[in-house]
Amino acid sequence: MSTFHAFLLTKEDGGPQQLSWTEVSDDDLMDGDVTVAVSHSTVNFKDGLALTGSSPVVRRWPMIPGIDFAGTVEASTHDGIAVGDPVVLNGWGVGETHLGGYAERARVPGGWLVPKPDAFTPAQAMAIGTAGYTAMLCVLALERHGVGPDAGPILVTGASGGVGGVAISLLSGLGYEVVASTGRLDEADYLRSLGAADVMDRAELSEPGRPLGKERWAGAVDSVGSHTLANVLAGTRYGGTVAACGLAQGMDLPGSVAPFILRGVTLAGVDSVMAPKPVRLEAWDRLARDLDLAKLDALTETRPLADAPELGAEILEGKVRGRVVLTV
Ligand code: NDP
């Protein structure tokens, strides 16, 4: 019987969840036709929710957390996936309902994996991770709705976070004028180094606002939700599009229909978890083409997997800047 090490979340009836670094048997891995030796993972906002138990992200016990991993195929009976292939996994309920990436080994259905693009090392693929791949999905949503670089400024909320940092890097690289909204104004130089033309205080967007405001941006990437998203919509120019992917401020959307019915604004929802394979392949292909690796490296910190519990708490407190790669 083969074993490996993993972080394991357990929960006894009604009690609080416990997290331990423990030895797990291969026999405990869940159904899947590909087994991967995990080399890197990462910390996303959702990983923070799972690690701290502050939101019911985990729906199967015990659970190995970690919604992303990169690694090398150890065993496969999946057509088109061979031993030795470098692969990447994002979402699909991994770390929520299927044993996840904070482990030396993972087993998943091969259809969930994407080939690691040659442009990235496994560490860079995890520097991108779900947050960065979601940022790309948001850029694709703006493009799909006709918001190109000439349309006008694009607002990125949650700018110092993971989705925000990759979104700024991508958009500025594509020639968009980016306005970064942040609560960390001391990070203005960092945000400008990623390509933000302007930096604004998120306090301007955090409180209940008017149904319609001055037309300020042609589009937005919003990872914050709540009053922020309502105000972002109210400040979007005629015919603009807001790609909404997150809830860092809250899950509510306390706004009005005014931006939709008076300015033809589009609210484009973005989900990374269950995005179909062709969409993922397109996003990873575009990341390989459009993401400036020097900027990716500048927004990334590398830490050992052992630090995941403390990083999970920090990301929920808004203390993590950019992205964190975990080495397994
Ligand atoms: P991060 O924690 O890295 O970034 C979130 C940022 O939001 C923070 O850095 C902070 O930026 C800002 N923020 C935090 N709290 C508040 C608040 N109360 N009010 C306003 N702004 C706040 O998380 P990620 O980038 O990994 O994820 C961002 C969001 O996107 C999360 O809600 C996550 O769940 C969601 N998400 C959704 C996905 C999907 O498939 N739809 C996929 C990936 C992420 P600053 O300090 O600059 O203000």
Side-chain angles (χ1 to χ4, degrees):
M1 183 181 69
S2 177
T3 62
F4 62 97
H5 290 92
F7 271 116
L8 198 66
L9 280 167
T10 51
K11 190 170 175 155
E12 305 298 334
D13 316 325
Q17 68 178 40
Q18 311 278 348
L19 181 67
S20 57
W21 178 251
T22 187
E23 199 166 349
V24 179
S25 161
D26 259 14
D27 295 343
D28 293 328
L29 284 170
M30 294 168 71
D31 284 350
D33 51 7
V34 180
T35 305
V36 177
V38 177
S39 65
H40 299 80
S41 187
T42 177
V43 184
N44 297 280
F45 194 85
K46 190 184 269 179
D47 294 312
L49 296 174
L51 286 163
T52 58
S54 45
S55 186
V57 165
V58 174
R59 279 160 286 139
R60 185 247 191 218
W61 305 93
M63 175 52 63
I64 297 174
I67 68 168
D68 284 327
F69 63 76
T72 307
V73 173
E74 268 187 351
S76 171
T77 54
H78 191 91
D79 246 9
I81 299 182
V83 172
D85 284 356
V87 289
V88 173
L89 181 126
N90 308 113
W92 290 117
V94 166
E96 303 181 60
T97 53
H98 192 100
L99 295 179
Y102 290 174
E104 293 167 336
R105 192 170 288 156
R107 184 178 297 144
V108 294
W112 292 0
L113 295 163
V114 294
K116 180 187 69 60
D118 291 339
F120 305 123
T121 63
Q124 285 168 328
M126 285 297 98
I128 294 166
T130 283
Y133 139 67
T134 301
M136 189 74 241
L137 293 178
C138 290
V139 173
L140 291 171
L142 294 181
E143 290 179 351
R144 201 167 52 246
H145 289 94
V147 180
D150 296 334
I154 304 297
L155 178 71
V156 174
T157 62
S160 303
V163 173
V166 179
I168 294 167
S169 306
L170 282 169
L171 288 164
S172 67
L174 289 165
Y176 288 85
E177 178 191 339
V178 181
V179 180
S181 165
T182 183
R184 292 181 255 181
L185 291 170
D186 53 336
E187 296 290 2
D189 288 345
Y190 157 77
L191 296 170
R192 287 183 201 279
S193 77
L194 297 182
D198 209 354
V199 177
M200 66 178 278
D201 189 341
R202 81 180 190 201
E204 274 188 59
L205 301 169
S206 305
E207 303 298 326
R210 292 185 309 190
L212 278 183
K214 192 166 165 257
E215 295 183 53
R216 296 174 74 179
W217 29 80
V221 172
D222 178 64
S223 58
V224 173
S226 191
H227 292 297
T228 300
L229 177 54
N231 288 322
V232 168
L233 288 164
T236 301
R237 289 185 188 172
Y238 195 93
T241 293
V242 176
C245 69
L247 43 56
Q249 184 180 15
M251 203 162 187
D252 55 336
L253 179 49
S256 81
V257 297
F260 310 126
I261 65 173
L262 298 176
R263 289 193 184 149
V265 168
T266 297
L267 177 56
V270 171
D271 167 61
S272 66
V273 180
M274 291 295 162
K277 185 98 173 240
V279 175
R280 291 166 186 265
L281 293 173
E282 182 188 8
W284 277 99
D285 184 48
R286 285 289 305 274
L287 283 159
R289 252 195 304 160
D290 297 332
L291 185 58
D292 179 336
L293 291 182
K295 286 184 181 174
L296 179 66
D297 292 345
L299 63 82
T300 304
E301 185 189 345
T302 303
R303 301 271 291 268
L305 177 58
D307 290 353
E310 98 191 48
L311 287 162
E314 284 176 16
I315 199 167
L316 298 188
E317 291 163 20
K319 287 185 183 158
V320 171
R321 185 182 89 170
R323 301 275 305 133
V324 183
V325 171
L326 297 173
T327 52
V328 176

